[in-house]
């Protein structure tokens, strides 16, 4: 999630981790909007990884033989 630009504290909430210390005791905010935004950022990053634009690379052997992709 850090690679997707999500703050570590929000990542903890998204993953459902128990927050320790004073913050875990007194911070009862649901973080719904922040968690939604984090999930959307992560989904967009996964989408970019899965749908990468193919590189325009021609192998030297193919180029010598006149083969075009």
């Amino acid at each position: 999630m850090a690679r997707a630009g999500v703050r570590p504290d929000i990542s903890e909430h998204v993953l459902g981790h128990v927050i320790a210390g004073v913050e875990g005791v007194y911070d009862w905010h649901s973080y719904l909007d922040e968690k939604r935004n984090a999930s959307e950022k992560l989904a967009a990053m996964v989408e970019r990884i899965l749908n990468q634009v193919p590189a325009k690379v021609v192998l030297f052997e193919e180029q010598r033989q006149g083969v075009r992709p």
Side-chain angles (χ1 to χ4, degrees):
M1 289 194 143
R3 186 175 176 188
V6 178
R7 292 186 351 225
D9 60 320
I10 300 302
S11 295
E12 296 292 327
H13 288 286
V14 171
L15 296 171
H17 291 172
V18 174
I19 308 302
V22 174
E23 182 182 358
V25 172
Y26 293 107
D27 186 3
W28 286 83
H29 181 63
S30 68
Y31 290 94
L32 186 59
D33 292 334
E34 293 87 348
K35 291 191 286 188
R36 181 181 300 112
N37 184 269
S39 297
E40 289 171 353
K41 284 182 177 183
L42 184 59
M45 187 180 79
V46 170
E47 186 73 28
R48 285 191 302 273
I49 290 170
L50 293 177
N51 297 311
Q52 291 182 21
V53 176
K56 295 180 182 178
V57 176
V58 177
L59 300 175
F60 289 122
E61 187 62 31
E62 292 174 355
Q63 190 174 17
R64 280 193 286 244
Q65 295 174 0
V67 176
R68 298 208 157 206

